[in-house]
Amino acid sequence: MGIFDWKHWVVILIVVVLVFGTKRLKNLGSDVGEAIKGFKKAMNTEEDEKKDPSAAAGNPPLNQPHTIDAQAQKVEEPARKD
């Protein structure tokens, strides 16, 4: 038996409906559905940005290699007097 018995779930469902009411449960269900849809949409948008980050943000990608053009020069240090 235990908690997975169908009779226990029916009693729990009746108590929840009596406490919250059907209208509040309906609103809760639609809110959860909208949250899931928004999450899926955000995940799809994030995947699109990973595929082409420059097109999504309008900025160049951050992982582009940069070259620094410089010339090394030897610096003469003054002689020390000990």
Side-chain angles (χ1 to χ4, degrees):
M1 291 291 201
I3 195 164
F4 296 111
D5 188 23
W6 67 274
K7 295 174 191 172
H8 291 134
W9 287 111
V10 170
V11 171
I12 291 172
L13 181 63
I14 291 171
V15 169
V16 168
V17 168
L18 289 175
V19 170
F20 293 109
T22 56
K23 186 175 181 180
R24 186 179 266 176
L25 289 177
K26 181 180 176 183
N27 291 340
L28 179 67
S30 62
D31 290 343
V32 169
E34 290 295 322
I36 292 172
K37 286 180 185 177
F39 179 74
K40 287 182 180 179
K41 184 178 179 182
M43 292 301 291
N44 289 336
T45 303
E46 184 176 303
E47 288 176 3
D48 292 343
E49 288 177 0
K50 285 182 181 178
K51 291 178 184 175
D52 191 12
S54 60
N59 297 329
L62 298 176
N63 59 354
Q64 291 291 332
H66 297 284
T67 305
I68 299 174
D69 189 17
Q71 185 176 359
Q73 297 178 352
K74 185 176 181 180
V75 177
E76 297 283 336
E77 294 184 19
R80 293 186 185 184
K81 295 183 181 180
D82 287 328

